[in-house]
Amino acid sequence: DMVEVALFEAIKPYNDEMIKLLMKAKNLIASAKKEKIDLTFDVEIDNTKPTSYKDIIYNRNELEYIHNEVKNLEKMYLKEKQKLALNDLDAFLEQVRSINNHKVLIMKVANYDMEILKDLADQLLNKIETGLIFFANVKDNHTINFICRNNLKEMNAGLLVKQAAMLSDGNGGGSATFAQGGGKHDQKLNEIFTWLEGEIQ
């Protein structure tokens, strides 16, 4: 009947989008499995035939719900991946350099969970014993979080983060040993890193 066809046409884009999202979820779970990460995703699509306009609203809401669930799944995957990185510090330790006889790690990372990044900075400083760890965590929207862990007497994490944040139109600060801040954009990141190295020199 005409109404049913019209309703079905109205719902079709939502259903197509949902199927795409579910495929994405399936692929994420498969990738995670290869890395020994267990992700759960319990979403069922209601495939009953649409009978009224209410169903269109329902489908639109269902799509939004699935969209959010897939987003959360991605976040979980990223977080678990990052947790695994905590077990394997070698990739980070390889980036440690000696500046002015001090062990220093100045590094850009992307989309890290802040708590995990703090953990990472702590663990790396424990490993190198004396030195300075500075992370610029760039988000998809080009904003930045800065984290600095330091136990060099000559350096002050709070002042370094404050200056780095200011150079990216943000703010931040902290103590001599630990500081965090944020920047509104990553345009001057290379400049910030060069400035940091100069300060440590």
Side-chain angles (χ1 to χ4, degrees):
D1 98 14
M2 287 299 293
V3 177
E4 195 173 286
V5 169
L7 284 170
F8 203 78
E9 283 307 305
I11 284 180
K12 192 177 180 319
Y14 299 128
N15 278 342
D16 291 348
E17 193 55 36
M18 282 189 231
I19 289 163
K20 263 192 216 135
L21 283 166
L22 290 180
M23 282 309 297
K24 188 175 180 180
K26 212 173 156 174
N27 292 337
L28 277 172
I29 290 168
S31 301
K33 239 196 183 71
K34 283 190 192 122
E35 297 170 55
K36 311 245 185 298
I37 296 172
D38 266 333
L39 294 177
T40 48
F41 187 73
D42 295 321
V43 174
E44 288 292 320
I45 287 190
D46 175 7
N47 275 324
T48 49
K49 274 187 174 175
T51 53
S52 74
Y53 182 68
K54 268 211 228 59
D55 292 336
I56 296 178
I57 305 287
Y58 171 77
N59 270 56
R60 195 188 299 161
N61 293 340
E62 192 180 28
L63 173 60
E64 202 171 306
Y65 163 72
I66 293 173
H67 191 74
N68 288 332
E69 287 298 304
V70 173
K71 231 180 168 153
N72 290 337
L73 185 72
E74 276 183 298
K75 277 192 188 140
M76 275 306 299
Y77 179 39
L78 205 58
K79 201 167 174 173
E80 291 302 317
K81 239 174 124 103
Q82 292 166 358
K83 272 191 201 152
L84 286 178
L86 289 176
N87 306 330
D88 181 23
L89 298 178
D90 292 347
F92 294 93
L93 290 168
E94 280 163 17
Q95 308 284 328
V96 173
R97 292 176 297 153
S98 177
I99 300 179
N100 198 6
N101 288 328
H102 296 313
K103 285 182 185 160
V104 177
L105 173 66
I106 299 173
M107 194 172 177
K108 173 184 168 179
V109 292
N111 295 312
Y112 256 79
D113 180 88
M114 285 305 277
E115 291 309 309
I116 290 176
L117 206 52
K118 277 183 209 165
D119 265 2
L120 195 53
D122 283 346
Q123 291 200 35
L124 289 165
L125 194 57
N126 286 342
K127 275 266 198 259
I128 64 176
E129 289 174 1
T130 315
L132 182 137
I133 310 285
F134 188 101
F135 283 123
N137 184 33
V138 181
K139 303 293 187 62
D140 283 337
N141 61 2
H142 296 291
T143 59
I144 318 182
N145 306 118
F146 297 108
I147 278 190
C148 183
R149 207 93 183 73
N150 164 58
N151 58 9
L152 298 171
K153 299 220 178 356
E154 307 87 331
M155 301 312 299
N156 182 312
L159 294 177
L160 292 177
V161 165
K162 190 175 180 178
Q163 185 60 27
M166 270 168 58
L167 285 168
S168 49
D169 297 323
N171 53 41
S175 66
T177 56
F178 177 75
Q180 58 181 350
K184 291 194 175 81
H185 57 78
D186 60 355
Q187 287 152 359
K188 292 186 177 167
L189 198 51
N190 291 341
E191 203 177 300
I192 290 168
F193 281 179
T194 307
W195 168 81
L196 260 172
E197 287 166 23
E199 285 296 297
I200 300 163
Q201 281 288 5

